[in-house]
Amino acid sequence: MNPTERQELAGLLPGPATPVLSSDRMTLLEAHLMQEITKEAEAPAATPDPADAGHRPPRRLRRAVVLVAVPVTAAAVLATVLTVGGGDGPAGPATDSEAVALLDRIATVTAAKGTPAVRDDQWVYTLVQGTDDLTDQGLDTFRRADWHAVDGSRDGLARTTVLSGPSGEGTTDMRLQADPNATTYRELQALPTDPGALYDKVWSATEGQGPTHEEAALEMIGSMLEGATLLPDVGATLYRAAARVPGITVVDHAEDASGRAGVGLAFGDGENRQVWVFEDKRLAYLGSDHVALLDVDVVDRVGQTPDRP
């Protein structure tokens, strides 16, 4: 079935119950990408065995949150689109030229930032905010701070604070066991900095995934944007690789999961729709409509938070 037929068929069916990839599935995709990158010889990607999936909770709960619908503006709808593919064959997915131009601007701004010196004995600290659907009980609004070893060799910590919701306010700590399948800072640092090479790796690693191959590729790229915030060259390459994947559109008035307004880049349809959100002027990555990225930095010990003015 070609992509156009698959998209038309998908429109006739009800949307799936889960808005994004499961944590186990995304972990497998990330592990598969790392395997592709570290191979000495190029070879076709193998389909991962679900039995190999880790059993720990999601690293940042990014896939356990409620999708917040953000309307596509008239500017995005009326944007000029380029059809991917040629000849007499069926038309492929469309690429929004406005989205490609925005991704190029974001990549240029990102690449101009400085890269901090990071030691293997340090920790990557991230703070995110989102909502957790408790099914019949309602929504919890939470903030979660994670500490992950730079080289992935030591156990980390997740500290979740429920801000509001049926489970009640409070803070809980959970040890994060070192996971060989999790993408570490050092592995992100080793990603190709050539957009074409990185696109090829992501495209190969997500072959056979869905709802569409394009969405799976963009979901994998999105899963690495938080960590790549500390690696400007890698971040810029991820954005330029994303520009090669058809199906992204611009959302002029988007909001991240904490309510911060900005410009968005959306992909997917219905309950599978996702939006990456960026500051309007500085184009800094704010996270997504699923989970807002409030802070990311490198610290010397677990439990330490960055010093901010």
Side-chain angles (χ1 to χ4, degrees):
M1 182 180 295
N2 64 55
T4 300
E5 293 172 333
R6 183 172 58 215
Q7 186 175 17
E8 291 174 351
L9 179 59
L12 301 176
L13 300 174
T18 304
V20 286
L21 292 178
S22 68
S23 60
D24 284 349
R25 182 173 163 195
M26 183 58 76
T27 297
L28 284 173
L29 287 177
E30 292 175 353
H32 195 176
L33 177 60
M34 291 304 109
Q35 183 182 22
E36 285 287 308
I37 291 169
T38 55
K39 279 183 180 177
E40 292 185 0
E42 293 292 332
T47 303
D49 185 348
D52 293 334
H55 298 291
R56 70 178 177 86
R59 292 182 62 186
R60 296 182 183 90
L61 298 180
R62 67 167 70 88
R63 288 169 288 280
V65 295
V66 174
L67 179 65
V68 180
V70 180
V72 178
T73 63
V77 174
L78 296 176
T80 302
V81 296
L82 304 176
T83 301
V84 177
D88 297 327
T95 297
D96 187 334
S97 60
E98 185 182 3
V100 173
L102 177 57
L103 281 163
D104 182 67
R105 287 173 52 210
I106 293 170
T108 300
V109 171
T110 300
K113 298 177 181 178
T115 303
V118 178
R119 305 187 310 268
D120 281 345
D121 65 341
Q122 291 182 301
W123 303 83
V124 175
Y125 164 83
T126 57
L127 179 65
V128 300
Q129 179 171 322
T131 53
D132 190 8
D133 189 354
L134 302 181
T135 314
D136 296 334
Q137 301 179 54
L139 298 178
D140 270 351
T141 299
F142 69 87
R143 285 189 178 180
R144 174 166 163 168
D146 279 14
W147 289 264
H148 290 277
V150 166
D151 62 1
S153 65
R154 293 153 291 154
D155 291 351
L157 174 68
R159 177 167 293 159
T160 303
T161 300
V162 177
L163 303 177
S164 63
S167 66
E169 297 180 6
T171 299
T172 57
D173 284 356
M174 178 179 64
R175 181 168 63 95
L176 297 177
Q177 293 182 340
D179 185 351
N181 291 322
T183 305
T184 68
Y185 175 92
R186 291 302 182 206
E187 288 173 325
L188 283 174
Q189 195 175 34
L191 287 171
T193 53
D194 174 73
L198 182 54
Y199 166 83
D200 289 343
K201 296 293 186 183
V202 170
W203 193 254
S204 176
T206 53
E207 185 176 0
Q209 304 296 325
T212 68
H213 195 170
E214 290 77 19
E215 287 179 47
L218 291 169
E219 285 168 342
M220 173 174 277
I221 291 172
S223 75
M224 295 183 282
L225 293 181
E226 287 181 12
T229 302
L230 298 171
L231 294 161
D233 288 345
V234 173
T237 306
L238 286 169
Y239 293 126
R240 291 193 167 107
R244 295 170 179 246
V245 183
I248 307 179
T249 59
V250 174
V251 180
D252 287 332
H253 304 289
E255 287 189 358
D256 69 12
S258 69
R260 293 177 298 182
V263 59
L265 288 164
F267 60 92
D269 295 311
E271 291 185 330
N272 289 311
R273 187 168 182 265
Q274 298 186 49
V275 183
W276 300 338
V277 185
F278 302 84
E279 289 183 345
D280 280 314
K281 294 182 179 179
R282 296 194 304 149
L283 298 178
Y285 179 62
L286 298 179
S288 72
D289 58 343
H290 297 162
V291 173
L293 178 61
L294 302 182
D295 200 1
V296 58
D297 210 333
V298 177
V299 295
D300 291 331
R301 64 181 185 277
V302 170
Q304 180 183 6
T305 57
D307 294 328
R308 301 295 183 202

